[in-house]
Amino acid sequence: MTSATPHQRALALGVIVGSLRADSVTRRLANELVALAPAAFRPRFIEIGDLPLYNEDLDIEVAAEPPAEWARFRSDLRASDAILFVTPEYNRSVPAPLKNAIDVGSAPHDQNAFDGLPAAIVSASPGRMGAFGANHHLRQSLVFLDMPTMQQPELYLGGSFGLFDEAGTLADPAVTELLTRYMERFASWASRHGRIAA
C-alpha cells in the first residue's frame, strides 16, 4: 500500500454506488474497494438513494430552496477531491438513481459540483461483459461534466455473483490483488489530474 507523503494531504475520495440495494454485489464491491484504498485516499460514501428526481423548477424558483437532499449531495461533492463510481448495468445503461444523481449534482447549469473532479469507474454484472454498456454510458456523461476520468486501467468485472463467497468476502485472491492495484493507480492518477494538482 502506498501512503500520502508528508507534503501531500490525503485526497477526499467520494464513492458513489449505482445500486440502492443494501446488500447488492455492487455495494459489496464498493466496500472492498474502500477497504483496499491506499492511505493517499480518505474514502467516504456519498449516498444517492434519498435524492428526489431532478426537476429544474426546484432550482430556478426564486422563492424556493432546493430540496435539502440535493443541497447535501452537492456539498458532499464539493468536499471531495476525487470520485469513484461503482455501478451495475441496467438495460445496457446506468441505473436510474445514478443518472438522477448526475443530473442533481451538475445543476444548476452554472454550478456543476462535479466540475474538475477526477473520476474512475468500476462496473460489474453477472454476465461476461462486466457492465461495459453502463461503464461507457457513464463515461459519456462525465465528459460533459468536465471530469477527467482515468482511462487505463479499465475495470469491468463479469460474473459478479461469483465474486464473493458465502461469508461475503472476495473468493479469489487474484481479484483482491486486481482491486488493490486499481485503487493504487487511481490514487496516483487523481493526485495529478484533480483540483489540487491544478
Side-chain angles (χ1 to χ4, degrees):
M1 280 195 159
T2 61
S3 60
T5 67
H7 303 293
Q8 179 186 13
R9 70 172 176 84
L11 300 174
L13 175 65
V15 181
I16 297 178
V17 181
S19 174
L20 299 187
R21 288 183 56 237
D23 195 35
S24 70
V25 171
T26 310
R27 176 69 64 168
R28 289 185 184 185
L29 180 58
N31 287 334
E32 291 293 333
L33 288 160
V34 164
L36 296 169
F41 275 143
R42 288 184 294 107
R44 67 188 179 107
F45 286 94
I46 300 178
E47 299 301 334
I48 64 174
D50 63 338
L51 299 176
L53 289 176
Y54 185 70
N55 178 348
E56 189 176 8
D57 285 345
L58 301 181
D59 264 333
I60 63 177
E61 290 179 3
V62 176
E65 291 290 331
E69 297 88 349
W70 291 5
R72 185 270 310 164
F73 181 67
R74 292 163 177 170
S75 176
D76 286 347
L77 292 176
R78 292 189 177 98
S80 301
D81 298 311
I83 300 291
L84 173 66
F85 294 94
V86 187
T87 186
E89 179 175 291
Y90 290 2
N91 302 313
R92 292 289 187 263
S93 188
V94 297
L98 180 52
K99 180 57 169 67
N100 184 54
I102 289 170
D103 294 342
V104 169
S106 63
H109 179 68
D110 59 347
Q111 299 177 40
N112 173 18
F114 287 107
D115 185 31
L117 286 172
I121 303 169
V122 176
S123 59
S125 71
R128 294 181 179 179
M129 295 178 68
F132 179 90
N135 195 305
H136 280 261
H137 266 198
L138 182 53
R139 286 176 184 272
Q140 182 176 336
S141 293
L142 302 191
V143 168
F144 184 77
L145 298 180
D146 199 21
M147 298 181 77
T149 305
M150 187 168 72
Q151 298 179 32
Q152 294 294 333
E154 297 174 287
L155 189 50
Y156 315 97
L157 294 169
S160 60
F161 288 170
L163 289 175
F164 297 91
D165 60 24
E166 293 181 358
T169 57
L170 286 170
D172 186 348
V175 174
T176 302
E177 182 180 353
L178 176 68
L179 300 184
T180 301
R181 291 201 312 269
Y182 186 86
M183 292 302 289
E184 289 175 347
R185 180 73 175 270
F186 182 37
S188 175
W189 188 88
S191 68
R192 301 193 309 272
H193 292 84
R195 292 171 175 170
I196 292 178

